[in-house]
Amino acid sequence: MSRCISCLGVLLFASVALAQSGEPDEIVDAIGVRAVVPGPLGGPVAVQPVGFQPVNPPPPLSSDNGTFQGRILRLAPIRPPAPSPAGPPLNDHLGDAMPAGAIARYGTTRLRHGSEPLALAFSADGKKLASLSASEAGVRIWDVDTGKELARHDGRVDTVALAPDGQLVLVNGDKCQVWSPALGTIRSLPEGSIPEGTTTLAVAADSRSFAAGSPEKIALIDIQSGKTLRTLKLPRDQPPLRLVYSLDGRWLAGCGQNKSGVWLWELKSGKRVRTYPTEADFTDFAFSVDGNQIAIGGSTLSVHTTDSEELPEGFHIPEEGQFFGVRFGPDGKHVFALQQDGTVMKVDAATGEIRDSWPPPEMNFRNPLTLAPGVDRVAAVDMTGGIRIWEPKTGKTPEAKRHSWLAYPGFSADGKLASVLDQESRIHTFDPATGKPVSIIELPVEPFMPSSLDARTGRAIAIIGGESFEVQVLDVATLKVLATFETTSNAYPSAVFSPSDKDKIAVFAPGTVSINSLSTGRAVRTLNVGHADDLNPRGNFSPDGRLLAITTQPLSVWEVATGKKRFECEGMPFPMEAHFSPNGRWLAVQGADDMVALYDVRTGATLRRFTVPSADGSVSIVAFTPDSKRLVTGNHDGLITLWDIASGEPVLNLDRHDGSILGLAFSKDGKRLLSSASDGTVLVWDLNAKLGSKEARIVAGQAEAFELLGSTDASQAHRGQDYLYRQPADSVTMLAEKLAVPKPVPAATIAKWITDLGSDDYQTRRAAVKGLLGIGGEALPALREVLASSPNAEVRKLAEEAVLRLEAIPTKPDELRVIRAVEVLENLAQDEGVPKAVREQTRELVKQWAAGPRGHRQTEEARMADRRLDTDQP
């Protein structure tokens, strides 16, 4: 069954819907019944769920996927379900609710419904606006004067109609329900109440009955009992695309496709009394308030009386334009309609003469658009993908300021300022603590050309068009061009800065990647990475600047100093992005689907695969936490998931933006995460908060919490960590007792096994490898020395095998427990909410562990944490 909307009265779903390639546009007219207009290639458009729920605070809801902290998870469960942040959501600086776990928002969600609204409609009094999203965002209700969201519903509904008294009739498959948002009740009508294959609905003006249209008939149904009151026959055996009741209750009008006309039934007799001819395949129509006239729009506009199919004498069809969102004025003497550019036309209902027209305040609006019942406001979609409202006669627009797509978020070096880049090449700066704007800097480049921003260094990259493209590097503070690099390609290049050398930049073009010097403006090395007609490669430097990962097919890793290819990463047929971990050990590669692969930087071996939950089956971006222990992924449906690299399991879901995630950036200490999206907002997430699920509160005690730290199930380990965070003093004491500084393995033991690697006896050599693996990480320093200096190729081979196995991502409970215990201590040492004496005790324990035997997992994890605590560097 197709999913559609029909409304009458309070919510009038109007307008021309979005054009989609290969699909038709779908429009819902000014009195709420759907029509379809052809898209570029024809075919129907899917319409999304409709309904309402209060926005702030959100009520406890449930779904087939389960409920997490009162928020519906709209995706199938991942294994195991990662918890969402606990506690009620906070409000942003405008007073609007943010997702749980977010502490600040830059930009606004006001009059922003996902990436694109599919349909818009004003309420009868013109004070509210309803929008329908083409995504799972469903329906939202907005205050016209402030743009504030008033209500929403995100549920599966095929067809919906709103009664004048505020009730909703919802159809999903063969089930029909009546919902009263005001009362918070929903009731099901008896099975079989609606015709099979119902495709459209309309509610009568008295809210006591509704019409349900199907391919075979139209049924008039009692809204209380579900009993069929009358059946109306359809002409030409085609399903109605739209149904409209007259406000006086005398008439029901409907239409089909293919110039089938507009049908008029007299409700008292149940007979179809007229068919008004139309010249268009898809029509738009509305009754006058008194029910004596009907205006029919589309590619033409005509006005008929309801007692005749003929045009009234003296009426001449206007020759110019198309007419959508048709409405009679309050006095019935004029008909108002919208042109597709947002212009409002005023037409004499008696003569068809165009009396006036009011163009939109700007010429950058697009479908859907709709006209308020009082003809005093128009709503449309603007170039940011948000909703714009204006008064036709004055052009006054009361909507809140919104931004276009935002990408490349980042913190300044001191962490006190955040910045992000929009698609019009403007840099927005804001306070990450509050989300309040600070300034907007316009780069001196053409809008909508590719640009990127490095917030840490205050530099931007701009792509300049022409016969070929050039790459400009700009200083954001002065807008001075630091360097320009020409390319010979007519395809968009991309570029990235080296994180270790401020003088180097890599420019990616089809077939080649050049490593350039900013100071000289010249290339210092050119890598031939593929055919010139291949898709544009992209890539990133390793943290030390020595390697460059390039999204060739398959993805390849190159040495910057020599220009040699080190290895290729198999198993990812269409790599989109590649990101090195801050410690330089891992390489995360994002595919063109829902898969992210993690590779060993030294060998190219695949270490993990993360299947990311996404409604549309695709990942939009990935990033590492500063400590390299976790991977964060963003999806096209706005969900952010934090993954535990050690176990490969999800730790936390951050739910969600209303558009694709376009950027992710961590603060230096890893406590905060910036996420930017196509919804024109940046969210600041607090990852250092105690984000435990409800299950975390039932941990029996410290003994169980300690055991949970070693779980290969990341969500279970997170429960144990959350318990320890809530009892800092006792937790530090317990960890000190249970994880004492390990005793070093005797140097002679390690030396013996190292010597045996060179034995002529095969069994002795294999026993040496086994013995070194049994020692664990403490054997690594000696093994690395062998790798660097031994002249024996077989010894080096055996040493490399042992090193790779010892440095692999841990899976043993004891090693996982150590990693997570160090993470707990590091977070407690930085938490200002923890008593100073406990923080000092925690800091001392980290230093004690860091002084343990070199190479041991506990020692190395503590050493890295100790360095971060000392220098605030990962």
Side-chain angles (χ1 to χ4, degrees):
M1 180 186 294
S2 65
R3 303 170 72 184
C4 67
I5 295 180
S6 306
C7 309
L8 177 65
V10 178
L11 288 183
L12 309 172
F13 279 90
S15 72
V16 183
L18 298 173
Q20 300 183 11
S21 177
E23 303 290 335
D25 288 343
E26 184 161 275
I27 66 172
V28 185
D29 83 334
I31 55 175
V33 189
R34 188 181 70 163
V36 177
V37 297
L41 300 176
V45 164
V47 181
Q48 298 299 308
V50 179
F52 305 87
Q53 78 182 51
V55 172
N56 191 10
L61 296 172
S62 62
S63 71
D64 293 339
N65 294 329
T67 302
F68 290 83
Q69 304 301 331
R71 295 178 58 80
I72 295 180
L73 284 185
R74 287 162 283 189
L75 303 171
I78 49 184
R79 34 157 245 295
S84 293
L90 303 175
N91 289 341
D92 63 17
H93 69 279
L94 296 174
D96 298 325
M98 298 182 293
I103 59 173
R105 174 161 53 206
Y106 175 70
T108 180
T109 56
R110 295 192 178 190
L111 293 175
R112 167 78 78 177
H113 193 168
S115 297
E116 295 284 348
L118 182 66
L120 302 171
F122 286 96
S123 61
D125 60 7
K127 294 182 179 180
K128 298 180 179 65
L129 181 76
S131 61
L132 171 69
S133 175
S135 71
E136 286 294 323
V139 170
R140 297 186 184 178
I141 310 300
W142 312 91
D143 183 282
V144 167
D145 292 325
T146 65
K148 187 177 180 65
E149 184 181 332
L150 301 176
R152 67 166 64 182
H153 177 75
D154 297 326
R156 171 76 191 196
V157 178
D158 293 319
T159 310
V160 60
L162 178 66
D165 66 1
Q167 294 188 96
L168 291 99
V169 179
L170 311 173
V171 169
N172 183 11
D174 59 354
K175 298 178 181 178
C176 183
Q177 295 178 308
V178 179
W179 181 30
S180 174
L183 300 177
T185 61
I186 187 166
R187 56 187 177 83
S188 298
L189 297 184
E191 185 177 348
S193 294
I194 58 172
E196 183 177 355
T198 292
T199 57
T200 187
L201 299 170
V203 182
D206 61 5
S207 301
R208 296 171 63 182
S209 62
F210 65 95
S214 71
E216 297 181 354
K217 61 184 178 181
I218 296 172
L220 305 183
I221 301 168
D222 182 81
I223 203 168
Q224 292 297 323
S225 66
K227 180 181 179 181
T228 299
L229 305 175
R230 175 169 282 163
T231 299
L232 307 180
K233 293 183 179 179
L234 284 169
R236 303 177 64 175
D237 296 325
Q238 60 173 299
L241 292 176
R242 306 175 57 209
L243 292 174
V244 179
Y245 280 95
S246 65
L247 296 179
D248 63 359
R250 287 187 293 161
W251 313 104
L252 178 70
C255 71
Q257 292 188 28
N258 304 319
K259 300 179 182 179
S260 59
V262 174
W263 316 312
L264 187 68
W265 286 271
E266 182 186 51
L267 292 175
K268 185 176 181 179
S269 64
K271 294 182 179 180
R272 181 167 58 90
V273 294
R274 265 166 287 288
T275 298
Y276 298 99
T278 57
E279 296 298 323
D281 287 338
F282 309 100
T283 56
D284 188 13
F285 50 93
F287 287 102
S288 60
V289 176
D290 60 11
N292 292 330
Q293 293 177 291
I294 184 170
I296 300 174
S299 59
T300 61
L301 178 68
S302 61
V303 179
H304 302 260
T305 61
T306 49
D307 59 5
S308 173
E309 295 176 359
E310 302 296 326
L311 278 175
E313 184 177 350
F315 185 92
H316 300 282
I317 294 176
E319 295 181 357
E320 56 184 88
Q322 293 185 323
F323 302 87
F324 299 100
V326 178
R327 290 191 181 277
F328 276 91
D331 60 4
K333 295 181 179 180
H334 296 94
V335 174
F336 296 83
L338 287 163
Q339 304 294 294
Q340 293 210 17
D341 67 354
T343 297
V344 178
M345 308 293 289
K346 180 180 180 181
V347 180
D348 191 305
T351 66
E353 181 180 355
I354 297 176
R355 295 296 188 184
D356 210 341
S357 65
W358 301 284
E362 301 173 25
M363 298 303 292
N364 61 348
F365 300 115
R366 60 181 182 268
N367 296 330
L369 46 90
T370 186
L371 187 60
V375 200
D376 58 342
R377 281 178 175 150
V378 180
V381 176
D382 65 18
M383 293 301 290
T384 73
I387 303 165
R388 181 66 60 86
I389 301 173
W390 71 92
E391 297 175 0
K393 295 182 180 180
T394 66
K396 181 181 178 182
T397 173
E399 51 81 29
K401 286 187 176 181
R402 290 177 312 277
H403 308 301
S404 59
W405 292 22
L406 299 177
Y408 301 102
F411 290 93
S412 59
D414 62 6
K416 296 180 179 179
L417 196 67
S419 57
V420 69
L421 184 73
D422 71 16
Q423 66 185 128
E424 298 175 65
S425 296
R426 296 178 301 190
I427 297 172
H428 303 248
T429 63
F430 60 95
D431 182 350
T434 63
K436 292 182 178 180
V438 175
S439 65
I440 295 179
I441 304 168
E442 294 194 16
L443 296 179
V445 297
E446 185 178 348
F448 304 105
M449 291 294 288
S451 302
S452 60
L453 174 66
D454 186 338
R456 181 178 55 86
T457 62
R459 297 179 297 177
I461 296 172
I463 309 300
I464 309 299
E467 292 184 4
S468 60
F469 292 97
E470 65 180 29
V471 176
Q472 283 189 357
V473 179
L474 302 99
D475 178 77
V476 172
T478 64
L479 297 183
K480 179 182 177 181
V481 177
L482 302 177
T484 300
F485 304 99
E486 295 184 355
T487 69
T488 58
S489 171
N490 59 0
Y492 288 125
S494 63
V496 295
F497 294 113
S498 169
S500 62
D501 187 345
K502 290 186 177 181
D503 187 54
K504 283 191 173 58
I505 181 175
V507 177
F508 302 81
T512 62
V513 177
S514 60
I515 312 299
N516 303 283
S517 168
L518 291 173
S519 58
T520 66
R522 295 181 180 179
V524 297
R525 187 167 303 284
T526 299
L527 309 178
N528 296 313
V529 299
H531 299 291
D533 56 354
D534 286 346
L535 293 176
N536 280 16
R538 298 176 63 85
N540 271 303
F541 283 98
S542 61
D544 59 11
R546 296 180 180 180
L547 300 176
L548 192 64
I550 306 173
T551 58
T552 50
Q553 295 192 33
L555 184 134
S556 53
V557 175
W558 300 69
E559 296 176 353
V560 172
T562 65
K564 294 181 179 180
K565 185 192 298 185
R566 176 171 288 190
F567 58 81
E568 292 181 341
C569 296
E570 301 291 344
M572 187 65 72
F574 299 102
M576 304 295 290
E577 296 281 352
H579 300 271
F580 286 92
S581 61
N583 64 8
R585 292 181 61 185
W586 327 122
L587 180 65
V589 180
Q590 169 192 339
D593 50 17
D594 62 348
M595 185 70 69
V596 175
L598 194 67
Y599 296 92
D600 188 311
V601 168
R602 295 156 301 180
T603 64
T606 306
L607 300 174
R608 295 235 182 273
R609 291 186 181 275
F610 301 89
T611 302
V612 180
S614 180
D616 69 354
S618 58
V619 184
S620 59
I621 195 165
V622 301
F624 284 94
T625 56
D627 62 7
S628 301
K629 293 179 180 177
R630 298 208 171 119
L631 185 74
V632 61
T633 59
N635 299 348
H636 283 298
D637 56 24
L639 181 71
I640 299 169
T641 302
L642 195 67
W643 301 82
D644 181 51
I645 291 176
S647 64
E649 297 293 339
V651 176
L652 188 69
N653 281 334
L654 301 175
D655 187 10
R656 75 186 59 220
H657 279 272
D658 281 333
S660 298
I661 306 298
L662 302 180
L664 296 167
F666 286 92
S667 59
K668 287 194 300 183
D669 59 11
K671 294 179 181 180
R672 292 179 295 170
L673 170 68
L674 293 177
S675 60
S676 65
S678 61
D679 63 6
T681 66
V682 180
L683 287 170
V684 185
W685 305 88
D686 182 7
L687 298 183
N688 199 48
K690 315 309 185 283
L691 302 178
S693 66
K694 289 181 178 179
E695 291 180 330
R697 299 187 180 95
I698 63 173
V699 173
Q702 287 186 345
E704 182 185 1
F706 182 77
E707 289 302 314
L708 288 173
L709 295 183
S711 174
T712 56
D713 181 334
S715 65
Q716 296 301 312
H718 188 75
R719 290 175 57 217
Q721 287 179 305
D722 182 72
Y723 182 90
L724 298 179
Y725 284 135
R726 288 184 277 111
Q727 301 182 53
D730 293 341
S731 297
V732 174
T733 301
M734 180 270 292
L735 291 175
E737 293 174 352
K738 289 186 173 290
L739 292 173
V741 177
K743 294 181 179 180
V745 176
T749 303
I750 298 176
K752 175 184 182 304
W753 293 125
I754 291 292
T755 300
D756 286 351
L757 289 177
S759 172
D760 293 334
D761 180 62
Y762 172 79
Q763 296 298 334
T764 301
R765 294 197 304 272
R766 300 314 300 178
V769 171
K770 183 177 180 180
L772 290 165
L773 292 176
I775 290 172
E778 290 181 67
L780 281 170
L783 285 167
R784 292 193 185 105
E785 185 176 344
V786 169
L787 272 175
S789 60
S790 176
N792 188 318
E794 176 65 19
V795 170
R796 292 197 305 272
K797 179 181 178 182
L798 293 173
E800 181 181 26
E801 174 189 334
V803 167
L804 291 176
R805 292 177 65 179
L806 288 172
E807 289 187 340
I809 294 176
T811 56
K812 295 180 180 179
D814 288 346
E815 291 188 315
L816 292 174
R817 187 174 293 112
V818 164
I819 291 172
R820 287 157 178 161
V822 172
E823 182 180 350
V824 168
L825 293 178
E826 185 175 356
N827 285 332
L828 290 177
Q830 300 176 91
D831 190 343
E832 296 296 331
V834 173
K836 182 179 179 181
V838 178
R839 294 203 309 271
E840 292 175 349
Q841 180 187 0
T842 304
R843 192 73 183 82
E844 180 59 32
L845 181 57
V846 172
K847 286 188 175 296
Q848 289 177 16
W849 288 1
R854 292 296 301 270
H856 194 283
R857 175 73 67 178
Q858 182 172 332
T859 303
E860 295 307 311
E861 292 293 331
R863 285 182 66 242
M864 289 187 287
D866 186 47
R867 186 171 69 249
R868 287 191 294 268
L869 290 169
D870 277 342
T871 64
D872 286 331
Q873 295 293 330

